[in-house]
């Protein structure tokens, strides 16, 4: 059975900019989405252009700043909203347009095949001043080259998710307007050490602009300190009580383990 619904096209995709414009892209994006409607969700990804047919061959393997956007509304209305996002820097390729939702959701699957060593680390940000944009852009310029694959994400938060009351769910932080995700990926574990330290340094340099918390789904590290950084005390306490009720022996104890309440 083909379980992928065809459905109507939505407005989404990626605009690739010259990586040399990363700082300008970040600050322009920050200002452009400041009062954006709930229907718009965007991500900035400072990365390396893959050898993909949709990108000019001359850019394969070069640093780029990618804007990923999705408009959850009438595509005609969305075109006007995303217009300022198309000109944040020198455009390498503009792939923002009508797209099937499932194709958008699986846009980068081909670049993340199993078998490699991966490291993710994150931090919520309360602000994104010019100095933060310059710092992130500098880490992008100094990122490891092949065989490492490195990415620096800034995810737009806020909107409807920010209007859910604190403590209503286990989600960490609904107040911060951004979360960063610093990624490093290498073909083997032995090659991961240096790119991993680069990712950690990027996170630490940006975390000063936030509350010191992380997003649990964007971390490749376990340890009680990571769990405490991922959940406010009241939410962590509730999760420990749930763990005690359903898994008192702590059978599911790997990754970012939440110990049962009586441990």
């Amino acid at each position: 059975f083909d379980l992928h619904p065809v459905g109507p096209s939505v407005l989404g995709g990626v605009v690739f900019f010259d990586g040399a414009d990363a700082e300008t892209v970040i600050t322009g994006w920050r200002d452009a989405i400041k009062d954006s409607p709930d229907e718009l969700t965007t991500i900035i990804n400072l990365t390396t252009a893959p050898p993909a047919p949709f990108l000019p061959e001359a850019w394969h393997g070069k640093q780029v700043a990618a804007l990923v956007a999705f408009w959850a509304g009438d595509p005609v209305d969305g075109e006007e909203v995303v217009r300022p996002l198309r000109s944040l820097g020198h455009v390498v390729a503009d792939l923002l347009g009508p797209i099937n939702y499932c194709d958008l959701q699986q846009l980068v699957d081909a670049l993340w095949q199993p078998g490699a060593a991966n490291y993710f680390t994150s931090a919520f940000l309360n602000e994104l001043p010019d100095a933060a944009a310059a710092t992130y852009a500098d880490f992008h310029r100094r990122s490891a080259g092949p065989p490492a694959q490195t990415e620096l994400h800034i995810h737009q938060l806020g909107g409807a998710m920010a209007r859910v009351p604190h403590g209503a769910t286990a989600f960490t932080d609904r107040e911060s307007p951004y979360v960063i995700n610093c990624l490093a990926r290498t073909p083997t574990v032995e090659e991961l050490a240096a790119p991993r330290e680069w990712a950690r340094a990027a996170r630490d340099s940006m975390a000063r602009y936030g509350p010191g918390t992380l997003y649990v789904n964007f971390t490749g590290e376990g340890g009680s300190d990571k769990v405490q950084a991922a959940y406010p005390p009241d939410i962590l306490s509730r999760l420990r009580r749930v763990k005690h009720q359903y898994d008192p022996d702590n059978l599911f104890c790997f990754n970012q383990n939440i110990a049962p309440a009586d441990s």
Side-chain angles (χ1 to χ4, degrees):
F1 293 91
D2 181 7
L3 300 180
H4 291 178
V6 176
S9 292
V10 297
L11 178 62
V14 188
V15 181
F16 291 91
F17 301 99
D18 187 341
D21 295 340
E23 183 177 346
T24 302
V25 170
I26 294 171
T27 55
W29 167 80
R30 174 201 64 197
D31 296 341
I33 66 168
K34 185 176 181 181
D35 299 311
S36 62
D38 287 355
E39 289 84 356
L40 181 68
T41 300
T42 56
I43 303 170
I44 292 293
N45 179 8
L46 309 183
T47 186
T48 301
F54 51 77
L55 290 174
E57 187 173 353
W59 279 92
H60 291 182
K62 294 185 177 180
Q63 291 186 328
V64 292
L67 165 79
V68 186
F70 170 64
W71 172 259
D74 188 324
V76 175
D77 297 334
E79 284 287 357
E80 188 62 30
V81 176
V82 303
R83 190 183 309 279
L85 301 176
R86 296 183 185 270
S87 56
L88 298 176
H90 173 71
V91 177
V92 173
D94 187 339
L95 307 176
L96 182 56
I99 186 173
N100 177 271
Y101 178 79
C102 285
D103 291 337
L104 178 65
Q105 196 273 334
Q106 300 170 10
L107 202 59
V108 298
D109 284 6
L111 303 178
W112 292 89
Q113 294 295 324
N118 298 281
Y119 178 77
F120 290 14
T121 187
S122 63
F124 285 94
L125 305 184
N126 288 342
E127 57 178 342
L128 189 60
D130 291 353
T135 295
Y136 223 36
D138 185 55
F139 271 97
H140 179 45
R141 282 190 292 271
R142 295 187 286 113
S143 60
Q149 176 184 341
T150 56
E151 298 185 7
L152 295 172
H153 298 179
I154 315 176
H155 294 250
Q156 174 190 2
L157 303 181
M161 63 170 288
R163 296 193 288 272
V164 176
H166 172 82
T169 73
F171 188 76
T172 309
D173 184 338
R174 295 185 180 275
E175 290 76 38
S176 297
Y178 316 100
V179 61
I180 61 168
N181 188 14
C182 307
L183 296 73
R185 175 182 175 88
T186 53
T188 66
V189 173
E190 292 74 19
E191 298 165 299
L192 186 61
R196 179 177 57 210
E197 291 308 309
W198 165 87
R200 286 173 175 167
R203 174 205 61 199
D204 291 345
S205 295
M206 296 293 285
R208 71 187 69 177
Y209 300 105
T213 54
L214 58 85
Y215 179 36
V216 70
N217 283 352
F218 287 171
T219 180
E221 298 170 296
S224 60
D225 60 325
K226 298 300 184 294
V227 173
Q228 291 172 1
Y231 298 106
D234 57 331
I235 293 178
L236 180 57
S237 178
R238 288 175 59 192
L239 289 172
R240 293 191 65 200
R241 294 197 299 270
V242 171
K243 186 67 172 288
H244 174 72
Q245 179 178 354
Y246 292 98
D247 183 19
D249 297 325
N250 203 22
L251 176 65
F252 297 99
C253 60
F254 299 104
N255 301 324
Q256 295 78 29
N257 179 48
I258 295 176
D262 65 343
S263 297

